[in-house]
Amino acid sequence: MGQVAWKGLFLSLFDYKTEKYVIAKNKKVGVLYRVVQLSILAYLVGWVFVVKKGYQDTDTSLQSSVITKLKGVAFTNTSELGERLWDVADYVIPPQGENVFFVMTNLIVTPNQRQATCPESISIPNALCYKDGDCPAGEAVVAGNGIKTGRCLKDRGSIGGTCEILAWCPVEKRSKPKKPLLASAENFTVYIKNSIRFPRFKFSKMNVLATGNESYLKSCRYSMEHPYCPIFLLGDIVRWAESDFQEMALEGGVIGIQIEWNCDLDKAPSECNPHYSFSRLDNKFAEKSISSGYNFRFAKYYQDAGGVDYRTLIKAYGIRFDVMVNGKAGKFNIIPTIINIGSGLALMGAGAFFCDLVLLYLIKKSNFYRGKKYEEVK
C-alpha cells in the first residue's frame, strides 16, 4: 500500500497544470468582481497617484539656513535704571540672528553688585537659621547665591534670621514688575530669511521676493498679498499662536514658527511656496505653575576708579522664538511609477482570487462551479 502511495506521489510530479477559464453566469459574483475592480482602480488612481503622487521620486533631506533680524525701540523709566532707551542690541539674545532668538520683555535689575558679605535672601529655605551653627562656614547655599561664612544674621528682636554669605552683594530681589517693562515689544518686527535646498533634485529657493527694489522690505509686512515678505510683527506671531502678548510678556514663554516647503517640481518653480504656522510650545495652561514662563540671568561688568569689579545683574523674562523648517519635494520618476502600477495589478489578481473563493465555496451552487472549474484529463 505504501509503495503505491509513493509511486502516485512520484508520478504526480510529472503532471502539468494549465488554466481553464470558466464563464460563470452568476450576476451576484459578477457584480462583486466589478465592484472589487473599480475599488482597486479608484484606490490606485485616486489615492496612490493623485493624493500621494506615487509617480514621483521624493526628497525629504531638506537643507535649510535661517537668518533673523529684529527691529524696534522701547523707552522705560525705572528706579534702578532711570530713563532708558532699548534697541535691538539690548533686548535681543543672541545678537547673531540665528534660528532661535529671545526677545526680552520684562526684567529684574540688581545694580552695583560687588563681591562682599551680606545676608542671604529670606526666600531661600537653606539659608534660614536660628544660630551660627546652622550656617557651616564654607558650605554653599542650596539654590542660593553664595557661600556661608558661619554667621547667622538676625534682625533686632527676631528669633530667626538668614545666613551671612560671601557673594555678589546685595543679592537679587525677588519681586518683579506687575506689568511687562517692554510692553511695546508687541510692535517690534522680525525679518526671517530662509534659504532651502533639495540636494537630490539640485533645487534651491528663498522665502524672500527676488526684486531689485531696495525699499520693498522696508515697507512691506507678511500677508496673503505679500507671501514673499517674511517680516512679521511679534504681536501678530503670538496672536496667530492663540496667545495674548501682554500676558506672555510678563513671565515669558516659547513660540514655535514652522516653515513648511512642500514642492511639486513637475510644476513651475513659482508653485513651490513656503507655508507658515505658529504655535505656543510651552504649556500656556500652566500660567499659575511655579515652572511657567521663560527666564534666565546675565550680568554686565564694570570697574570703578579703584579697579574694583562690580556688575549689574539682570534676570530677563521674555519670549523665545524657535524657527523650524521642514519640507519635501517630488518629481516624476519612472521607477516608482512602475512599482505602483505593478502593485495595483497584483491587487487586481487578489480581487479575482477573492471572487473565486466566493464562487467556489460560499454560494449555494459552489459544488457545481467547482466541478466545472477543475477537471482532470488523462
Side-chain angles (χ1 to χ4, degrees), residues 96-351:
Q96 290 91 345
E98 300 174 350
N99 62 326
V100 176
F101 60 93
F102 172 84
V103 178
M104 184 166 58
T105 55
N106 207 1
L107 67 157
I108 298 174
V109 180
T110 309
N112 299 318
Q113 283 190 323
R114 298 172 184 265
Q115 289 199 6
T117 57
C118 55
E120 177 63 282
S121 171
I122 196 172
S123 64
I124 306 296
N126 187 244
L128 301 179
C129 62
Y130 295 95
K131 58 184 184 299
D132 289 347
D134 296 332
C135 305
E139 182 182 277
V141 181
V142 178
N145 297 287
I147 304 296
K148 297 175 183 177
T149 64
R151 297 179 59 197
C152 180
L153 304 180
K154 304 177 186 178
D155 291 335
R156 184 173 298 177
S158 298
I159 299 175
T162 58
C163 294
E164 182 185 62
I165 58 171
L166 174 64
W168 286 95
C169 298
V171 296
E172 177 187 85
K173 63 181 182 179
R174 293 286 167 172
S175 61
K176 62 177 178 289
K178 302 286 181 164
K179 294 181 180 180
L181 196 63
L182 299 181
S184 60
E186 186 171 8
N187 298 315
F188 295 171
T189 61
V190 58
Y191 166 59
I192 303 175
K193 178 182 176 181
N194 179 214
S195 303
I196 58 105
R197 180 175 182 268
F198 292 103
R200 179 175 297 180
F201 305 122
K202 298 180 180 178
F203 176 83
S204 302
K205 197 167 185 182
M206 280 179 27
N207 66 335
V208 184
L209 183 67
T211 177
N213 185 358
E214 295 183 359
S215 64
Y216 175 72
L217 290 177
K218 296 180 181 179
S219 59
C220 71
R221 293 291 181 271
Y222 173 80
S223 65
M224 297 302 293
E225 292 77 24
H226 298 282
Y228 279 88
C229 174
I231 298 179
F232 304 85
L233 283 172
L234 297 187
D236 287 342
I237 292 176
V238 174
R239 188 177 71 254
W240 291 332
E242 300 180 352
S243 294
D244 181 86
F245 187 92
Q246 296 302 321
E247 290 181 3
M248 197 172 182
L250 186 61
E251 293 191 347
V254 184
I255 293 290
I257 302 173
Q258 183 79 39
I259 306 178
E260 195 79 26
W261 295 85
N262 289 321
C263 301
D264 185 351
L265 300 184
D266 292 325
K267 299 178 180 178
S270 60
E271 297 295 318
C272 175
N273 299 314
H275 298 278
Y276 299 89
S277 60
F278 309 89
S279 58
R280 184 163 179 178
L281 302 182
D282 63 318
N283 188 358
K284 67 179 179 179
F285 302 107
E287 289 162 351
K288 303 300 181 183
S289 169
I290 58 173
S291 63
S292 63
Y294 185 83
N295 64 78
F296 61 91
R297 293 172 177 83
F298 66 95
K300 296 185 177 181
Y301 293 85
Y302 311 92
Q303 276 190 346
D304 61 17
V308 179
D309 292 336
Y310 68 98
R311 73 180 190 180
T312 296
L313 178 66
I314 297 175
K315 183 177 182 180
Y317 296 82
I319 304 175
R320 168 177 153 165
F321 295 87
D322 291 12
V323 183
M324 299 164 285
V325 183
N326 291 308
K328 66 177 182 178
K331 193 173 185 179
F332 175 78
N333 191 302
I334 192 62
I335 294 177
T337 305
I338 292 175
I339 291 174
N340 283 304
I341 290 175
S343 300
L345 294 176
L347 284 176
M348 289 288 189

